[in-house]
Amino acid sequence: EVVWRVLQIDDYLIDFNRLLGETLQWSVAYAVCYIHSDAAHSGALLKVGSDDQAQVYLNGKLVYQSVNPRSHLADQDVVTGAVLKAGINVVVLKVVNEGNKWQGSVRFTDAAGRPLKRIRVTLDPERQDAPRPPPTKQPPSLGSNDGVESAAGSLSPDCLGRIFTILCNPFP
């Protein structure tokens, strides 16, 4: 059954095979979290790692894409000039697994590589202190961008992320 799941992780790496308890080939996973920022952050760095392909959406806009199969390395790609607005920001990470390991990571830092200050990660964009919701078949509201908006994983050691897993046929 395909459902949204709540995930709490110790760092910013999501291991989808470990989460599911099995190794899946030719699969797609989406992870979503909301970042509440006390102030706007312009010029932030978005650091992404993935095994294999990945996309990152920030507030409904595609800000990162990797289309080649590869092994995960933390912070293997860096997007400069990422902007977090004051208030709620939606981060979506989509990771495509072609085979074997299936991992993804996302984090924001300042220009010097330090974690951003005055941000909190939540699963509920309306209430940052809300309890975790139960699994549901419906994804959270992500805006409108061809219907394929998805996920961001962990941004700090205490980050919570929502995981949505879809099994797919091999790519043409």
Side-chain angles (χ1 to χ4, degrees):
E1 181 178 5
V2 179
V3 297
W4 286 97
R5 299 180 189 185
V6 175
L7 172 68
Q8 183 169 359
I9 50 183
D10 295 328
D11 60 17
Y12 57 94
L13 173 66
I14 300 173
D15 185 329
F16 296 99
N17 285 330
R18 188 177 72 197
L19 173 69
L20 296 171
E22 62 182 308
T23 300
L24 298 174
Q25 311 299 321
W26 296 102
S27 302
V28 177
Y30 297 91
V32 175
C33 72
Y34 303 92
I35 300 175
H36 182 271
S37 181
D38 291 342
H41 293 275
S42 60
L45 302 179
L46 170 67
K47 298 184 177 185
V48 183
S50 66
D51 184 334
D52 290 299
Q53 302 168 42
Q55 292 179 329
V56 176
Y57 293 84
L58 177 59
N59 295 322
K61 179 181 175 188
L62 179 67
V63 294
Y64 169 82
Q65 180 170 325
S66 172
V67 296
N68 298 314
R70 63 188 187 171
S71 296
H72 177 273
L73 295 172
D75 305 341
Q76 66 197 116
D77 294 318
V78 177
V79 177
T80 59
V83 177
L84 292 175
K85 63 185 180 181
I88 293 294
N89 297 269
V90 181
V91 182
V92 177
L93 171 66
K94 174 184 179 182
V95 181
V96 176
N97 185 37
E98 292 186 19
N100 300 316
K101 290 186 178 182
W102 187 13
Q103 300 172 323
S105 61
V106 174
R107 70 183 184 119
F108 288 94
T109 69
D110 64 17
R114 295 179 300 254
L116 289 181
K117 296 181 186 220
R118 301 174 50 199
I119 64 171
R120 294 182 307 280
V121 179
T122 180
L123 293 181
D124 186 334
E126 302 298 320
R127 291 181 45 211
Q128 289 76 42
D129 62 344
R132 292 189 222 166
T136 175
K137 291 186 179 187
Q138 298 299 318
S141 172
L142 299 172
S144 60
N145 188 9
D146 75 357
V148 186
E149 294 170 275
S150 322
S154 25
L155 302 171
S156 68
D158 59 350
C159 175
L160 299 175
R162 269 192 191 177
I163 306 303
F164 184 62
T165 304
I166 304 173
L167 305 181
C168 297
N169 292 327
F171 300 112

